[in-house]
Amino acid sequence: MREGITVSDDVASTGRRASTVATGRPRVLVVGGSLTHVRKARELGLDVVHVQYPDAYDRGHAPHVDQALPLDYGDVDRLLPLARALHEAYPFQAAVSLFELGLLPAARINEALGLGGESVATVELLLDKWRMRRHLTAKGISPVASAVGRSAQDVREFADANGLPIVVKPVRESGSLGVFRVRDRADVDTVADRFRSLDDGQWAVGDLAFADSFAEFLMEEFLDGPEISVETLSFDGRHVVVAVTDKECAGPGFVEIGHAQPSGCPAGTLREVEQLVTGFLDAVGLRNGPGHTEVKLTSRGPRIVESHNRVGGDRINDLAELVYGVDMERYALGARFGLVEPLTSSPGPRGGAAVRFLTPEPGRVVEVTGADAVRADPACADLRLEVRPGDVVPPLTWNEDKAGHVIARGADAAEAIAHSRRLASTIRVRTEPVS
């Protein structure tokens, strides 16, 4: 514990009931994430201790949270002694996170307190794309030419050795942040400066996983072909594919603007992908919980792009629940406590679902129309608008620049995709240039 600080200085009781009263229910420490995550934990019958950024915790959390620890949990050196003190006062059986920036803090807490869970080594391997590439190469899995660089000369040498195009991206980070496709010699000469300029951005707490994310970059050969993601749940080393998600990307940074399930890939391709991904999960040591693994279907066969020991973002869990009846977030929170039954095999689809993201022209929002018509449409499963008049829509450079989404259902994926595009086009976000 920090000198002069007691657990009560940093931990807030929600006032829902006396925290010392034993409930007999298992208790989980949820690191970061959304209000939905703590609500689902409560619905599963768990007592909840919640570590959250102070400005992300509000009164809406109170009905679902027994104890709150409001702090920047990216500061693990500060978090660990507080978590230890909290554990002594209000013992919890596991630390869990469903949010990228909370994965390593949760693993560090579990390791420090002897609570089990995914190892710090596995979580760090998945967060560090360069370490992951070297690890896969050593095991002969999904070979991809790659190297770490810091300068334009490093980019030139990698391009000379591997040809163009290539991809330059952060060694650590997610959400299509800072991803550049280098197509020609002009890009080769400028991409290092463009990448480093990201360090000048006005990033909010929670945007970046690491303070030094733009000090160096990962260079990789360009992988041709469409991209998919494989959503898995693992049970003591037994991996179950819940869904394969078809993706649509746009812009120079490969920002995802649409997803659909079930995948339209041929059965043979899906078998090959499943074999690759389950072998990959074994290789990185992932034994329990969710996995979200991105794969490119290249002309040389499927290749791993990256992977995460969490549920996929961008509403992928909503699609899996609509199509397969599986809420992967509930499994991530409850499987360890025996509150959900382990899957014995991959579920079959019961229709199709697709999400389409809203990407209006950059500028200041003048008017938003069409929402009522979309919500009234029987094909609409969900609509979320992230902008209103007066807001500024930035250029589409990473996932957080999107202005909202529409989720549509259909008899199959093709029908759901058609509905999602139709509904998204009904939403009109009119913008004007920012003076």
Side-chain angles (χ1 to χ4, degrees):
M1 190 181 303
R2 290 175 295 146
E3 185 177 356
I5 298 292
T6 65
V7 68
S8 60
D9 292 314
D10 286 271
V11 179
S13 174
T14 64
R16 194 175 55 81
R17 65 167 182 273
S19 60
T20 56
V21 176
T23 65
R25 295 195 292 256
R27 179 174 289 144
V28 64
L29 175 72
V30 178
V31 182
S34 69
L35 174 60
T36 299
H37 299 157
V38 294
R39 176 179 58 78
K40 288 182 179 181
R42 169 69 67 210
E43 290 171 352
L44 283 165
L46 292 165
D47 279 352
V48 178
V49 178
H50 191 31
V51 180
Q52 185 58 279
Y53 298 121
D55 62 354
Y57 187 91
D58 59 35
R59 67 181 63 186
H61 291 76
H64 316 292
V65 175
D66 299 280
Q67 297 293 334
L69 184 56
L71 83 166
D72 178 358
Y73 52 81
D75 185 354
V76 180
D77 290 337
R78 182 186 179 208
L79 172 62
L80 282 178
L82 289 171
R84 188 182 298 277
L86 187 62
H87 181 59
E88 291 171 358
Y90 316 105
F92 45 87
Q93 285 71 57
V96 176
S97 184
L98 285 74
F99 181 53
E100 182 82 2
L101 274 61
L103 298 174
L104 186 56
R108 292 280 302 276
I109 291 169
N110 283 329
E111 181 180 81
L113 300 180
L115 301 178
E118 295 311 298
S119 71
V120 170
T122 291
V123 175
E124 288 182 332
L125 188 60
L126 292 173
L127 289 172
D128 189 321
K129 300 175 180 65
W130 173 229
R131 287 181 58 188
M132 185 199 74
R133 283 287 180 224
R134 287 181 294 168
H135 184 74
L136 294 185
T137 297
K139 291 185 172 292
I141 298 173
S142 188
V144 174
S146 59
V148 167
R150 288 176 170 266
S151 67
Q153 182 60 31
D154 293 332
V155 181
R156 283 191 286 269
E157 291 176 359
F158 187 81
D160 289 342
N162 295 280
L164 292 173
I166 62 172
V167 172
V168 168
K169 63 184 182 181
V171 175
R172 300 169 295 185
E173 291 301 341
S174 61
S176 300
L177 174 62
V179 181
F180 298 92
R181 184 187 305 185
V182 180
R183 300 173 182 271
D184 52 36
R185 301 308 300 188
D187 288 341
V188 168
D189 293 335
T190 60
V191 69
D193 288 339
R194 291 163 62 201
F195 183 87
R196 281 194 298 270
S197 71
L198 295 170
D199 212 13
D200 300 329
Q202 300 299 309
W203 302 106
V205 173
D207 283 347
L208 301 180
F210 299 92
D212 62 347
S213 287
F214 305 120
E216 60 184 14
F217 45 80
L218 182 64
M219 302 172 290
E220 293 182 338
E221 65 173 290
F222 176 73
L223 299 175
D224 62 342
E227 182 175 328
I228 61 174
S229 65
V230 182
E231 326 309 333
T232 55
L233 289 168
S234 298
F235 305 92
D236 197 23
R238 180 177 59 84
H239 311 299
V240 177
V241 174
V242 175
V244 176
T245 307
D246 290 344
K247 296 176 175 286
E248 183 178 349
C249 300
F254 309 98
V255 177
E256 296 163 0
I257 61 170
H259 302 315
Q261 294 177 8
S263 173
C265 292
T269 299
L270 292 176
R271 286 192 295 270
E272 188 177 5
V273 167
E274 180 174 350
Q275 183 177 17
L276 171 66
V277 169
T278 55
F280 165 81
L281 296 177
D282 285 339
V284 299
L286 185 69
R287 296 192 54 79
N288 288 285
H292 169 67
T293 305
E294 296 168 359
V295 176
K296 271 294 195 81
L297 303 177
T298 80
S299 55
R300 296 178 293 140
R303 294 288 187 271
I304 300 289
V305 177
E306 57 189 62
S307 185
H308 313 267
N309 65 306
R310 58 165 170 79
V311 179
D314 274 349
R315 321 315 299 183
I316 284 175
N317 188 59
D318 299 84
L319 302 187
E321 192 168 8
L322 283 168
V323 175
Y324 296 100
V326 176
D327 183 343
M328 296 181 64
E329 293 177 344
R330 290 175 62 88
Y331 274 88
L333 292 162
R336 186 169 178 180
F337 301 99
L339 299 174
V340 288
E341 285 293 323
L343 295 179
T344 57
S345 61
S346 297
R350 52 187 192 188
V355 59
R356 190 77 180 178
F357 296 97
L358 307 177
T359 57
E361 288 294 316
R364 191 175 306 280
V365 177
V366 175
E367 184 182 36
V368 180
T369 61
D372 290 342
V374 168
R375 290 193 176 100
D377 194 294
C380 177
D382 186 49
L383 168 64
R384 185 164 303 177
L385 290 168
E386 305 290 351
V387 296
R388 58 185 178 181
D391 291 342
V392 174
V393 175
L396 185 64
T397 58
W398 71 306
N399 282 353
E400 297 304 310
D401 293 329
K402 291 179 285 197
H405 70 262
V406 177
I407 297 178
R409 54 174 75 87
D412 53 25
E415 183 176 272
I417 291 170
H419 283 317
S420 71
R421 290 175 174 169
R422 174 178 59 80
L423 294 174
S425 68
T426 303
I427 301 293
R428 300 297 177 93
V429 180
R430 186 164 63 88
T431 60
E432 62 182 11
V434 178
S435 56

